[in-house]
Amino acid sequence: METAFRLVDSEGVEALSMRALAREAGVSSAAPFRHFADKQLLLQAVAEKASTELQRKLDDASDDRQDALTQFRAMTVAYVRFAAEHPKLFQLLQQTPSVSGAFLGELNDERRLKLIALIYEGQNAGLIPDADPELIALSSEALTHGLARMIVDRHPRVRDLSSEDARKLALAATQLLQSGIGLS
Amino acid sequence: METAFRLVDSEGVEALSMRALAREAGVSSAAPFRHFADKQLLLQAVAEKASTELQRKLDDASDDRQDALTQFRAMTVAYVRFAAEHPKLFQLLQQTPSVSGAFLGELNDERRLKLIALIYEGQNAGLIPDADPELIALSSEALTHGLARMIVDRHPRVRDLSSEDARKLALAATQLLQSGIGLS
DNA sequence: ACCGACATGTTAGCGATGCTTACTTACGGG
DNA sequence: CCCGTAAGTAAGCATCGCTAACATGTCGGT
C-alpha cells in the first residue's frame, strides 16, 4: 500500500501495474489481491490517502485566528501548491469519482459555506456586487481549480512551477478575482 | 480511425483497446497497426482531430465584426461548451502532451495576444487596474479552464450540465471576473 | 495483357497485464 | 495444543499491445 502510494506519486497512475507493485514490494504477483480485491480499489485507497493529505494541508491553512478572507486565500494557495508538488496524486484524486465526489462534495461544503457566508457579509457591507453568492463562490473555485489543473496538465505558461512560484501565482490570481479586471 | 474517434467520444479513452476497436470496425486485431504504429499515435491522432474541432468552434465564436471583448466572451463560452458536450474528447485532448502543448501553446497564443492587447487598451482607458496584463490573461484562462475541468471532472455542483446551462455559466463567470467580486 | 509495387488485410504468436483458484505457511487466542 | 485467520505462493485464464510472415487486391508502367 505504501509502495503503491509512493509509486503513483513519483511515476503516475498509468505507470502502476499490480505486478510491478508486487515486484517492488518483494512479494508475488497475487499477493496485493489479498489486500485489495481490485486495482480500482487500490487506486481508490491511494486517492483517499492523497485526499486526506490535501485536506490536512487545507485545514492547516485555515487558521481561525485569521479573518475569513485571509483564510480563504491561504486555502487557495494550499490547494494550488499541492497540485504543483504532487501533480500525479492530484490527477488521481480528480479522476477517482468516489473520492473526488466526496472530497469536492462533502468536505468542501464546509469551505464553500464559509466562503458564501463571507460573501453575504461583504454584500451587506456594500463591498461586493449583488451577484449570486453561489456563482461568486463557484467562480473562485473554478479559478483555483483551473490554476491547479493548468499546472498538472503542464500548460505551457505555468509548467514546472516551483512551489514558491505556485504560491505567488495563486495569491496574485485570487486577489485579481477579488478586485476584478474591470473590463466594462 | 473514425471508429476510434467515435468510441473515445462515447466511451472514453481508457475503454478503448486496439482489439476492441478492430472488432468494432469489423477487421482483424492487427489491422489498425497498418494505420497507426502505436496506440499512442492513434490517440494522438484522435486528440488532434478533437483539437481542430475545438479550434474550429473557437474560430466560429470569434467573429471579427464584434468587438474584442465580445469575442473573448464568446470564445470562453465555446470552450466551456465543448468540454460539456464532449468531456471524453476534452479529457483526451488535455492529457495528450503533444496536442495540448501545441493547442494551448501555439494556437492559443493568438487568442492570448488578442486578449492582452485588449487589456492594454483597457488599462490606457483607465478601465482596468494596472496589474500585470500577463497575469490578467492567465487568470481568465484559468477561470475558463477551471470551469471546463470542473464539468468534465464531474464536480458535484456542475455535473450533467446541459450545453445551454454551460453557456450561461461560462458567461456569468467571465462577466464576474471582469467586474470583480470586490472583496477588499 | 502482364508484372511489380504498394496499401491493406490476415493468422499466429510473444510477453505483460488484471485477476482467479487452489495450495501452503505463520501466528495468536480458545 | 490446535485451529482459524491473515498473508503469501504457484499456476493458469483471458485480454491486451504489438510483431512477424504471409495473403490479396488495386494500381500504373511497359
Side-chain angles (χ1 to χ4, degrees), chain A residues 73-119:
Chain A
R73 278 181 189 153
M75 289 172 87
T76 297
V77 168
Y79 189 80
V80 174
R81 278 185 65 169
F82 183 84
E85 287 167 11
H86 302 284
K88 310 290 188 179
L89 289 177
F90 184 82
Q91 220 162 349
L92 171 62
L93 205 137
Q94 301 292 339
Q95 77 188 77
T96 307
S98 62
V99 173
S100 107
F103 175 71
L104 294 171
E106 302 163 28
L107 299 178
N108 255 25
D109 264 2
E110 185 189 343
R111 168 156 82 117
R112 200 161 50 80
L113 288 178
K114 182 183 289 185
L115 177 59
I116 289 181
L118 176 66
I119 291 165

Side-chain angles (χ1 to χ4, degrees), chain B residues 109-161:
Chain B
D109 264 3
E110 186 189 343
R111 169 156 79 117
R112 200 161 49 81
L113 289 178
K114 182 183 287 184
L115 177 59
I116 289 181
L118 175 66
I119 292 165
Y120 269 121
E121 201 180 309
Q123 285 179 333
N124 286 335
L127 291 170
I128 302 180
D130 276 335
D132 176 10
E134 293 265 346
L135 174 65
I136 296 179
L138 186 61
S139 296
S140 49
E141 278 187 73
L143 181 62
T144 302
H145 185 61
L147 229 36
R149 291 257 26 153
M150 282 169 76
I151 291 171
V152 325
D153 291 342
R154 303 184 62 73
H155 182 115
R157 303 204 51 240
V158 292
R159 76 156 134 242
D160 296 327
L161 241 51

Side-chain angles (χ1 to χ4, degrees), chain A residues 26-75:
Chain A
V27 294
S28 73
S29 330
F33 292 95
R34 287 286 144 192
H35 305 270
F36 302 94
D38 218 72
K39 187 182 185 180
Q40 221 182 34
L41 287 179
L42 205 209
L43 290 179
Q44 194 170 320
V46 171
E48 266 159 30
K49 184 169 174 184
S51 170
T52 66
E53 202 141 305
L54 171 52
Q55 194 61 38
R56 192 178 51 75
K57 294 203 176 186
L58 291 180
D59 286 344
D60 286 354
S62 154
D63 176 352
D64 277 334
R65 289 163 306 182
Q66 304 283 338
D67 65 296
L69 177 55
T70 305
Q71 281 183 49
F72 178 68
R73 278 181 189 153
M75 289 172 87

